[in-house]
Amino acid sequence: MTKGTASLGKRSRGKSHIQCRRCGSHAYHVKTKICASCGFGKSARLRTYTWQKKRNPTSD
Ligand SMILES: [Zn+2]
C-alpha cells in the first residue's frame, strides 16, 4: 500500500458520480441519484448553504 499517484491509478473500477444534468458538474451519484453539487434529486431548489459566502464586489 502506497500513498499518492501509485494508488490513485487503481481507482478506475466503477463510477459513483456522473455528470449532473442540472448543474453540469460531475457530482451526480448514480446509485443514490443525488447530485453532491446542486442537490438535484434531493431538492427541487439548488443545494445551497449559508456558509457558502458569495463574494460581494462592492463591500468586502
Ligand atoms: Zn448537479
Side-chain angles (χ1 to χ4, degrees):
M1 266 297 212
T2 52
K3 279 184 172 181
T5 317
S7 56
L8 287 171
K10 295 177 180 175
R11 289 171 136 211
S12 57
R13 283 187 286 269
K15 52 174 177 256
S16 55
H17 296 94
I18 58 167
Q19 196 176 47
C20 174
R21 79 166 180 269
R22 183 161 76 173
C23 70
S25 178
H26 198 112
Y28 187 77
H29 202 279
V30 180
K31 288 183 178 175
T32 61
K33 296 182 172 63
I34 290 170
C35 176
S37 181
C38 70
F40 180 56
K42 186 181 181 184
S43 67
R45 305 186 73 182
L46 282 176
R47 183 192 70 92
T48 180
Y49 294 99
T50 51
W51 45 262
Q52 287 180 314
K53 292 273 169 64
K54 281 177 186 167
R55 287 271 296 161
N56 196 346
T58 51
S59 63
D60 196 42

